[in-house]
Amino acid sequence: MSAVAVQSGAVLQVRAEVATGLGAEPPHLPYRLLWDEHNTALYDRIREQPEYYLNRLEMQLLHAHSREVTADCGARTLIELGSGTGEKALPLLRHLTAPATYLPVDVSTSALSRLTDRLRHASPSTSVHTVAADFTRPWPPALRETGRRPALVTFLGSTLGNLLPGERHDLLALLAGSLEPGDGLLLGVPLLHDAQVMVSAYQDAAGLMEAFYLHCLRILNRDLGTNFDLDAYAHHVTWAAPEQRVEIGLRALADQSVLIPGHPTSHRVLLPRGQVLRAAVAVRFTAEQLDDELSAHGFETVRRLPDTSGRYMLLLARHQG
Ligand SMILES: C[S@@+](CC[C@H](N)C(=O)[O-])C[C@H]1O[C@@H](n2cnc3c(N)ncnc32)[C@H](O)[C@@H]1O
């Protein structure tokens, strides 16, 4: 059983969500379901692949700018959405006003337990409270009530780009309702640039991305009892210009009939040969576009910190209340 299903106790809901996604046009899968223990570990290796420039650029920017970012909002508490194993928090934690609190939020319980081990050695003076939760859901008391303000919320690892426009809007609305005036929001922003380069980040020569996305079918077979044949799908990456995003999915190599046991209405889904099952989107942004979206939710951009190649940017905003 995956971490997601166990935590929420909502296997039925997950099953319904998967059935709806598979039956939709285009068929797609919920992004958060990708993150079981296996894929969490695999992602640590993907981040190091030469093609995956996003992680490298973000890490460089964090090392270069963490001091000014934390000073700007005088943060005492760092809340990290989709923290993974917490590597990105380390440069920021060094500059938080002591005594500091770190609240990493993730659906992957294996990421959170590895994070705790890492932090114990790297930053022993920080008080760490892991929060196993879905960042798209209203904040649990552990997030709302722990740590002194002002807080700095970080959303790094290009995860902002994995949200569809409606989901991005909902997340900003949720943050606006959960933060206090003066709290900061630091976004890792993958910028719009050359399409071939953006696509190739998801086509590493070592094949780790392919393994990551194929594994999501294994997750569904294991947790929901579906009958996906992993040999019948191929990694598929494309640039969708109108939506300004890379789409990553699995292309059916032959007609597929997918069984979703226990689902009352759409228990069997037909995926014809050539059909692409979308597993994730990776939206690319312009700085102006994000300023507008943030200001619509009461956030004012304080700093734009792009890298010299113009491929990635850290954006610091302040909640105006
Ligand atoms: C692209 S990784 C980024 C990890 C880390 N921030 C980094 O920069 O290396 C996305 C992370 O978000 C987590 N995640 C995905 N969807 C989530 C959700 N709805 N709620 C909480 N965590 C989520 C995943 O488990 C994963 O650790």
Side-chain angles (χ1 to χ4, degrees), residues 31-32 35 40 43 47 55 58 80-84 88 105-108 111 133-136 156-157 159 162:
Y31 175 72
R32 72 176 194 290
W35 296 94
T40 295
Y43 181 70
R47 289 191 317 185
N55 184 67
E58 185 175 67
E80 183 171 20
L81 305 181
S83 60
K88 306 271 170 67
V105 182
D106 208 291
V107 282
S108 167
D134 180 342
F135 56 58
T136 65
L156 302 170
T159 314
N162 300 128

PDB file of all heavy atoms in Angstrom, residues 31-32 35 40 43 47 55 58 80-84 88 105-108 111 133-136 156-157 159 162, ligand 1:
ATOM      1  N   TYR A  31      -0.840  13.604 -10.053  1.00  0.00           N
ATOM      2  CA  TYR A  31       0.605  13.787  -9.873  1.00  0.00           C
ATOM      3  C   TYR A  31       1.091  13.251  -8.532  1.00  0.00           C
ATOM      4  O   TYR A  31       2.151  12.611  -8.454  1.00  0.00           O
ATOM      5  CB  TYR A  31       0.927  15.281 -10.009  1.00  0.00           C
ATOM      6  CG  TYR A  31       2.370  15.633  -9.727  1.00  0.00           C
ATOM      7  CD1 TYR A  31       3.368  15.284 -10.629  1.00  0.00           C
ATOM      8  CD2 TYR A  31       2.735  16.312  -8.564  1.00  0.00           C
ATOM      9  CE1 TYR A  31       4.697  15.603 -10.382  1.00  0.00           C
ATOM     10  CE2 TYR A  31       4.050  16.632  -8.308  1.00  0.00           C
ATOM     11  CZ  TYR A  31       5.033  16.272  -9.213  1.00  0.00           C
ATOM     12  OH  TYR A  31       6.346  16.580  -8.964  1.00  0.00           O
ATOM     13  N   ARG A  32       0.351  13.471  -7.477  1.00  0.00           N
ATOM     14  CA  ARG A  32       0.864  13.118  -6.150  1.00  0.00           C
ATOM     15  C   ARG A  32       1.024  11.616  -5.979  1.00  0.00           C
ATOM     16  O   ARG A  32       1.775  11.154  -5.123  1.00  0.00           O
ATOM     17  CB  ARG A  32      -0.016  13.691  -5.037  1.00  0.00           C
ATOM     18  CG  ARG A  32      -1.347  13.024  -4.890  1.00  0.00           C
ATOM     19  CD  ARG A  32      -2.137  13.578  -3.712  1.00  0.00           C
ATOM     20  NE  ARG A  32      -3.263  12.730  -3.375  1.00  0.00           N
ATOM     21  CZ  ARG A  32      -4.349  12.599  -4.141  1.00  0.00           C
ATOM     22  NH1 ARG A  32      -4.465  13.284  -5.262  1.00  0.00           N
ATOM     23  NH2 ARG A  32      -5.317  11.783  -3.787  1.00  0.00           N
ATOM     24  N   TRP A  35       4.588   9.493  -6.003  1.00  0.00           N
ATOM     25  CA  TRP A  35       5.663   9.639  -5.012  1.00  0.00           C
ATOM     26  C   TRP A  35       5.631   8.580  -3.925  1.00  0.00           C
ATOM     27  O   TRP A  35       5.420   8.881  -2.754  1.00  0.00           O
ATOM     28  CB  TRP A  35       5.600  11.058  -4.419  1.00  0.00           C
ATOM     29  CG  TRP A  35       5.865  12.065  -5.489  1.00  0.00           C
ATOM     30  CD1 TRP A  35       4.940  12.721  -6.246  1.00  0.00           C
ATOM     31  CD2 TRP A  35       7.140  12.485  -5.971  1.00  0.00           C
ATOM     32  NE1 TRP A  35       5.552  13.528  -7.166  1.00  0.00           N
ATOM     33  CE2 TRP A  35       6.907  13.402  -7.018  1.00  0.00           C
ATOM     34  CE3 TRP A  35       8.462  12.176  -5.628  1.00  0.00           C
ATOM     35  CZ2 TRP A  35       7.936  14.013  -7.724  1.00  0.00           C
ATOM     36  CZ3 TRP A  35       9.481  12.783  -6.326  1.00  0.00           C
ATOM     37  CH2 TRP A  35       9.215  13.693  -7.357  1.00  0.00           C
ATOM     38  N   THR A  40      10.598   8.161  -4.816  1.00  0.00           N
ATOM     39  CA  THR A  40      11.276   9.187  -4.013  1.00  0.00           C
ATOM     40  C   THR A  40      12.793   8.979  -4.086  1.00  0.00           C
ATOM     41  O   THR A  40      13.560   9.926  -4.280  1.00  0.00           O
ATOM     42  CB  THR A  40      10.797   9.122  -2.547  1.00  0.00           C
ATOM     43  OG1 THR A  40       9.407   9.457  -2.516  1.00  0.00           O
ATOM     44  CG2 THR A  40      11.556  10.085  -1.656  1.00  0.00           C
ATOM     45  N   TYR A  43      14.058   9.777  -7.631  1.00  0.00           N
ATOM     46  CA  TYR A  43      14.122  11.220  -7.915  1.00  0.00           C
ATOM     47  C   TYR A  43      15.441  11.824  -7.416  1.00  0.00           C
ATOM     48  O   TYR A  43      15.991  12.726  -8.047  1.00  0.00           O
ATOM     49  CB  TYR A  43      12.929  11.945  -7.280  1.00  0.00           C
ATOM     50  CG  TYR A  43      12.945  13.423  -7.580  1.00  0.00           C
ATOM     51  CD1 TYR A  43      12.698  13.888  -8.868  1.00  0.00           C
ATOM     52  CD2 TYR A  43      13.238  14.359  -6.593  1.00  0.00           C
ATOM     53  CE1 TYR A  43      12.749  15.237  -9.175  1.00  0.00           C
ATOM     54  CE2 TYR A  43      13.284  15.720  -6.879  1.00  0.00           C
ATOM     55  CZ  TYR A  43      13.034  16.147  -8.170  1.00  0.00           C
ATOM     56  OH  TYR A  43      13.093  17.487  -8.471  1.00  0.00           O
ATOM     57  N   ARG A  47      17.697  14.012 -10.077  1.00  0.00           N
ATOM     58  CA  ARG A  47      18.151  15.394  -9.849  1.00  0.00           C
ATOM     59  C   ARG A  47      19.610  15.594 -10.234  1.00  0.00           C
ATOM     60  O   ARG A  47      20.038  16.699 -10.510  1.00  0.00           O
ATOM     61  CB  ARG A  47      17.985  15.757  -8.362  1.00  0.00           C
ATOM     62  CG  ARG A  47      16.564  15.917  -7.940  1.00  0.00           C
ATOM     63  CD  ARG A  47      16.463  16.517  -6.574  1.00  0.00           C
ATOM     64  NE  ARG A  47      17.422  15.956  -5.631  1.00  0.00           N
ATOM     65  CZ  ARG A  47      17.471  16.241  -4.358  1.00  0.00           C
ATOM     66  NH1 ARG A  47      16.632  17.107  -3.855  1.00  0.00           N
ATOM     67  NH2 ARG A  47      18.362  15.701  -3.568  1.00  0.00           N
ATOM     68  N   ASN A  55      17.445  21.389 -11.320  1.00  0.00           N
ATOM     69  CA  ASN A  55      17.868  21.210  -9.939  1.00  0.00           C
ATOM     70  C   ASN A  55      19.198  21.905  -9.655  1.00  0.00           C
ATOM     71  O   ASN A  55      19.374  22.567  -8.632  1.00  0.00           O
ATOM     72  CB  ASN A  55      17.988  19.717  -9.635  1.00  0.00           C
ATOM     73  CG  ASN A  55      18.326  19.467  -8.190  1.00  0.00           C
ATOM     74  OD1 ASN A  55      17.529  19.741  -7.319  1.00  0.00           O
ATOM     75  ND2 ASN A  55      19.534  18.975  -7.936  1.00  0.00           N
ATOM     76  N   GLU A  58      18.738  25.710  -9.499  1.00  0.00           N
ATOM     77  CA  GLU A  58      18.039  26.130  -8.287  1.00  0.00           C
ATOM     78  C   GLU A  58      18.963  26.057  -7.072  1.00  0.00           C
ATOM     79  O   GLU A  58      18.981  26.965  -6.228  1.00  0.00           O
ATOM     80  CB  GLU A  58      16.806  25.253  -8.060  1.00  0.00           C
ATOM     81  CG  GLU A  58      15.964  25.728  -6.874  1.00  0.00           C
ATOM     82  CD  GLU A  58      14.688  24.926  -6.732  1.00  0.00           C
ATOM     83  OE1 GLU A  58      14.773  23.729  -6.410  1.00  0.00           O
ATOM     84  OE2 GLU A  58      13.596  25.481  -6.921  1.00  0.00           O
ATOM     85  N   GLU A  80       8.236  24.193   4.214  1.00  0.00           N
ATOM     86  CA  GLU A  80       8.610  23.789   2.852  1.00  0.00           C
ATOM     87  C   GLU A  80       7.576  22.820   2.285  1.00  0.00           C
ATOM     88  O   GLU A  80       7.398  21.712   2.782  1.00  0.00           O
ATOM     89  CB  GLU A  80      10.003  23.135   2.842  1.00  0.00           C
ATOM     90  CG  GLU A  80      10.406  22.779   1.421  1.00  0.00           C
ATOM     91  CD  GLU A  80      11.854  22.331   1.269  1.00  0.00           C
ATOM     92  OE1 GLU A  80      12.458  21.926   2.278  1.00  0.00           O
ATOM     93  OE2 GLU A  80      12.360  22.396   0.130  1.00  0.00           O
ATOM     94  N   LEU A  81       6.887  23.258   1.228  1.00  0.00           N
ATOM     95  CA  LEU A  81       5.856  22.422   0.594  1.00  0.00           C
ATOM     96  C   LEU A  81       6.521  21.482  -0.411  1.00  0.00           C
ATOM     97  O   LEU A  81       7.293  21.926  -1.256  1.00  0.00           O
ATOM     98  CB  LEU A  81       4.835  23.307  -0.122  1.00  0.00           C
ATOM     99  CG  LEU A  81       4.165  24.391   0.738  1.00  0.00           C
ATOM    100  CD1 LEU A  81       3.160  25.177  -0.107  1.00  0.00           C
ATOM    101  CD2 LEU A  81       3.486  23.789   1.962  1.00  0.00           C
ATOM    102  N   GLY A  82       6.225  20.180  -0.327  1.00  0.00           N
ATOM    103  CA  GLY A  82       6.868  19.208  -1.218  1.00  0.00           C
ATOM    104  C   GLY A  82       8.364  19.183  -0.974  1.00  0.00           C
ATOM    105  O   GLY A  82       9.164  19.277  -1.895  1.00  0.00           O
ATOM    106  N   SER A  83       8.730  19.039   0.297  1.00  0.00           N
ATOM    107  CA  SER A  83      10.132  19.187   0.719  1.00  0.00           C
ATOM    108  C   SER A  83      11.044  18.121   0.144  1.00  0.00           C
ATOM    109  O   SER A  83      12.248  18.328   0.011  1.00  0.00           O
ATOM    110  CB  SER A  83      10.222  19.111   2.239  1.00  0.00           C
ATOM    111  OG  SER A  83       9.733  17.845   2.660  1.00  0.00           O
ATOM    112  N   GLY A  84      10.483  16.942  -0.201  1.00  0.00           N
ATOM    113  CA  GLY A  84      11.350  15.820  -0.547  1.00  0.00           C
ATOM    114  C   GLY A  84      12.268  15.540   0.621  1.00  0.00           C
ATOM    115  O   GLY A  84      11.851  15.623   1.794  1.00  0.00           O
ATOM    116  N   LYS A  88      17.203  21.247  -0.143  1.00  0.00           N
ATOM    117  CA  LYS A  88      17.099  22.662  -0.516  1.00  0.00           C
ATOM    118  C   LYS A  88      16.934  23.570   0.697  1.00  0.00           C
ATOM    119  O   LYS A  88      17.152  24.776   0.616  1.00  0.00           O
ATOM    120  CB  LYS A  88      15.900  22.867  -1.460  1.00  0.00           C
ATOM    121  CG  LYS A  88      15.899  21.979  -2.701  1.00  0.00           C
ATOM    122  CD  LYS A  88      16.630  22.626  -3.830  1.00  0.00           C
ATOM    123  CE  LYS A  88      16.877  21.711  -5.008  1.00  0.00           C
ATOM    124  NZ  LYS A  88      15.681  21.295  -5.711  1.00  0.00           N
ATOM    125  N   VAL A 105       6.760  19.647   4.526  1.00  0.00           N
ATOM    126  CA  VAL A 105       5.464  19.025   4.231  1.00  0.00           C
ATOM    127  C   VAL A 105       5.626  18.161   2.989  1.00  0.00           C
ATOM    128  O   VAL A 105       6.088  18.645   1.948  1.00  0.00           O
ATOM    129  CB  VAL A 105       4.414  20.118   3.914  1.00  0.00           C
ATOM    130  CG1 VAL A 105       3.046  19.499   3.653  1.00  0.00           C
ATOM    131  CG2 VAL A 105       4.356  21.153   5.015  1.00  0.00           C
ATOM    132  N   ASP A 106       5.227  16.901   3.070  1.00  0.00           N
ATOM    133  CA  ASP A 106       5.318  16.054   1.883  1.00  0.00           C
ATOM    134  C   ASP A 106       4.346  14.882   2.017  1.00  0.00           C
ATOM    135  O   ASP A 106       4.020  14.458   3.127  1.00  0.00           O
ATOM    136  CB  ASP A 106       6.750  15.520   1.693  1.00  0.00           C
ATOM    137  CG  ASP A 106       7.071  15.247   0.239  1.00  0.00           C
ATOM    138  OD1 ASP A 106       6.488  14.299  -0.349  1.00  0.00           O
ATOM    139  OD2 ASP A 106       7.873  16.000  -0.353  1.00  0.00           O
ATOM    140  N   VAL A 107       3.872  14.375   0.865  1.00  0.00           N
ATOM    141  CA  VAL A 107       3.053  13.158   0.895  1.00  0.00           C
ATOM    142  C   VAL A 107       3.914  11.910   1.002  1.00  0.00           C
ATOM    143  O   VAL A 107       3.416  10.838   1.317  1.00  0.00           O
ATOM    144  CB  VAL A 107       2.168  12.991  -0.373  1.00  0.00           C
ATOM    145  CG1 VAL A 107       0.948  13.863  -0.321  1.00  0.00           C
ATOM    146  CG2 VAL A 107       2.967  13.187  -1.639  1.00  0.00           C
ATOM    147  N   SER A 108       5.200  12.048   0.718  1.00  0.00           N
ATOM    148  CA  SER A 108       6.077  10.880   0.746  1.00  0.00           C
ATOM    149  C   SER A 108       6.666  10.719   2.149  1.00  0.00           C
ATOM    150  O   SER A 108       7.545  11.480   2.559  1.00  0.00           O
ATOM    151  CB  SER A 108       7.210  11.047  -0.281  1.00  0.00           C
ATOM    152  OG  SER A 108       8.197  10.080  -0.056  1.00  0.00           O
ATOM    153  N   ALA A 111      10.393  10.145   2.099  1.00  0.00           N
ATOM    154  CA  ALA A 111      11.202  11.366   1.963  1.00  0.00           C
ATOM    155  C   ALA A 111      11.344  12.036   3.321  1.00  0.00           C
ATOM    156  O   ALA A 111      12.439  12.477   3.697  1.00  0.00           O
ATOM    157  CB  ALA A 111      10.538  12.325   0.974  1.00  0.00           C
ATOM    158  N   ALA A 133       1.492  15.390   4.725  1.00  0.00           N
ATOM    159  CA  ALA A 133       0.208  15.957   4.301  1.00  0.00           C
ATOM    160  C   ALA A 133       0.252  16.316   2.829  1.00  0.00           C
ATOM    161  O   ALA A 133       1.330  16.435   2.223  1.00  0.00           O
ATOM    162  CB  ALA A 133      -0.110  17.208   5.126  1.00  0.00           C
ATOM    163  N   ASP A 134      -0.923  16.504   2.266  1.00  0.00           N
ATOM    164  CA  ASP A 134      -1.094  16.917   0.877  1.00  0.00           C
ATOM    165  C   ASP A 134      -1.146  18.443   0.871  1.00  0.00           C
ATOM    166  O   ASP A 134      -2.026  19.046   1.497  1.00  0.00           O
ATOM    167  CB  ASP A 134      -2.424  16.313   0.382  1.00  0.00           C
ATOM    168  CG  ASP A 134      -2.746  16.655  -1.055  1.00  0.00           C
ATOM    169  OD1 ASP A 134      -2.161  17.610  -1.596  1.00  0.00           O
ATOM    170  OD2 ASP A 134      -3.605  15.971  -1.631  1.00  0.00           O
ATOM    171  N   PHE A 135      -0.201  19.073   0.162  1.00  0.00           N
ATOM    172  CA  PHE A 135      -0.152  20.544   0.232  1.00  0.00           C
ATOM    173  C   PHE A 135      -1.311  21.212  -0.512  1.00  0.00           C
ATOM    174  O   PHE A 135      -1.470  22.423  -0.457  1.00  0.00           O
ATOM    175  CB  PHE A 135       1.198  21.099  -0.223  1.00  0.00           C
ATOM    176  CG  PHE A 135       1.657  20.707  -1.609  1.00  0.00           C
ATOM    177  CD1 PHE A 135       0.898  20.976  -2.745  1.00  0.00           C
ATOM    178  CD2 PHE A 135       2.882  20.082  -1.777  1.00  0.00           C
ATOM    179  CE1 PHE A 135       1.327  20.617  -4.010  1.00  0.00           C
ATOM    180  CE2 PHE A 135       3.329  19.705  -3.055  1.00  0.00           C
ATOM    181  CZ  PHE A 135       2.536  19.975  -4.169  1.00  0.00           C
ATOM    182  N   THR A 136      -2.108  20.422  -1.235  1.00  0.00           N
ATOM    183  CA  THR A 136      -3.274  21.022  -1.909  1.00  0.00           C
ATOM    184  C   THR A 136      -4.486  21.082  -0.977  1.00  0.00           C
ATOM    185  O   THR A 136      -5.523  21.622  -1.339  1.00  0.00           O
ATOM    186  CB  THR A 136      -3.666  20.226  -3.179  1.00  0.00           C
ATOM    187  OG1 THR A 136      -4.115  18.919  -2.795  1.00  0.00           O
ATOM    188  CG2 THR A 136      -2.504  20.086  -4.141  1.00  0.00           C
ATOM    189  N   LEU A 156       9.781  24.621  -3.922  1.00  0.00           N
ATOM    190  CA  LEU A 156      10.966  24.538  -4.780  1.00  0.00           C
ATOM    191  C   LEU A 156      10.901  23.283  -5.655  1.00  0.00           C
ATOM    192  O   LEU A 156       9.881  22.595  -5.700  1.00  0.00           O
ATOM    193  CB  LEU A 156      12.224  24.551  -3.893  1.00  0.00           C
ATOM    194  CG  LEU A 156      12.347  25.786  -2.983  1.00  0.00           C
ATOM    195  CD1 LEU A 156      13.473  25.609  -1.967  1.00  0.00           C
ATOM    196  CD2 LEU A 156      12.588  27.042  -3.827  1.00  0.00           C
ATOM    197  N   GLY A 157      12.004  23.007  -6.344  1.00  0.00           N
ATOM    198  CA  GLY A 157      12.080  21.780  -7.141  1.00  0.00           C
ATOM    199  C   GLY A 157      11.206  21.829  -8.386  1.00  0.00           C
ATOM    200  O   GLY A 157      10.821  20.773  -8.902  1.00  0.00           O
ATOM    201  N   THR A 159       8.224  22.327  -8.580  1.00  0.00           N
ATOM    202  CA  THR A 159       6.932  21.666  -8.334  1.00  0.00           C
ATOM    203  C   THR A 159       5.753  22.571  -8.710  1.00  0.00           C
ATOM    204  O   THR A 159       4.687  22.076  -9.085  1.00  0.00           O
ATOM    205  CB  THR A 159       6.843  21.201  -6.856  1.00  0.00           C
ATOM    206  OG1 THR A 159       8.072  20.553  -6.514  1.00  0.00           O
ATOM    207  CG2 THR A 159       5.710  20.232  -6.633  1.00  0.00           C
ATOM    208  N   ASN A 162       4.302  21.638 -11.865  1.00  0.00           N
ATOM    209  CA  ASN A 162       3.561  20.383 -11.972  1.00  0.00           C
ATOM    210  C   ASN A 162       2.072  20.567 -11.701  1.00  0.00           C
ATOM    211  O   ASN A 162       1.307  19.599 -11.755  1.00  0.00           O
ATOM    212  CB  ASN A 162       4.131  19.329 -10.999  1.00  0.00           C
ATOM    213  CG  ASN A 162       5.587  19.004 -11.275  1.00  0.00           C
ATOM    214  OD1 ASN A 162       6.427  19.045 -10.400  1.00  0.00           O
ATOM    215  ND2 ASN A 162       5.902  18.708 -12.525  1.00  0.00           N
TER     216      ASN A 162
HETATM  217  C1  LIG B   1       9.720  17.557  -7.830  1.00  0.00           C
HETATM  218  S1  LIG B   1       9.858  16.910  -6.199  1.00  0.00           S
HETATM  219  C2  LIG B   1      10.740  18.229  -5.378  1.00  0.00           C
HETATM  220  C3  LIG B   1      11.389  17.782  -4.100  1.00  0.00           C
HETATM  221  C4  LIG B   1      12.271  18.864  -3.428  1.00  0.00           C
HETATM  222  N1  LIG B   1      11.491  20.041  -3.110  1.00  0.00           N
HETATM  223  C5  LIG B   1      13.436  19.232  -4.328  1.00  0.00           C
HETATM  224  O1  LIG B   1      13.484  20.384  -4.756  1.00  0.00           O
HETATM  225  O2  LIG B   1      14.289  18.387  -4.569  1.00  0.00           O
HETATM  226  C6  LIG B   1       8.186  17.118  -5.617  1.00  0.00           C
HETATM  227  C7  LIG B   1       7.973  16.741  -4.161  1.00  0.00           C
HETATM  228  O3  LIG B   1       6.619  17.095  -3.817  1.00  0.00           O
HETATM  229  C8  LIG B   1       5.991  16.012  -3.159  1.00  0.00           C
HETATM  230  N2  LIG B   1       4.557  16.116  -3.499  1.00  0.00           N
HETATM  231  C9  LIG B   1       3.976  15.955  -4.712  1.00  0.00           C
HETATM  232  N3  LIG B   1       2.662  16.232  -4.648  1.00  0.00           N
HETATM  233  C10 LIG B   1       2.412  16.564  -3.346  1.00  0.00           C
HETATM  234  C11 LIG B   1       1.240  16.977  -2.644  1.00  0.00           C
HETATM  235  N4  LIG B   1       0.056  17.096  -3.268  1.00  0.00           N
HETATM  236  N5  LIG B   1       1.345  17.260  -1.318  1.00  0.00           N
HETATM  237  C12 LIG B   1       2.552  17.149  -0.670  1.00  0.00           C
HETATM  238  N6  LIG B   1       3.689  16.773  -1.294  1.00  0.00           N
HETATM  239  C13 LIG B   1       3.625  16.494  -2.615  1.00  0.00           C
HETATM  240  C14 LIG B   1       6.673  14.759  -3.679  1.00  0.00           C
HETATM  241  O4  LIG B   1       6.567  13.687  -2.777  1.00  0.00           O
HETATM  242  C15 LIG B   1       8.114  15.255  -3.871  1.00  0.00           C
HETATM  243  O5  LIG B   1       8.871  15.083  -2.693  1.00  0.00           O
END
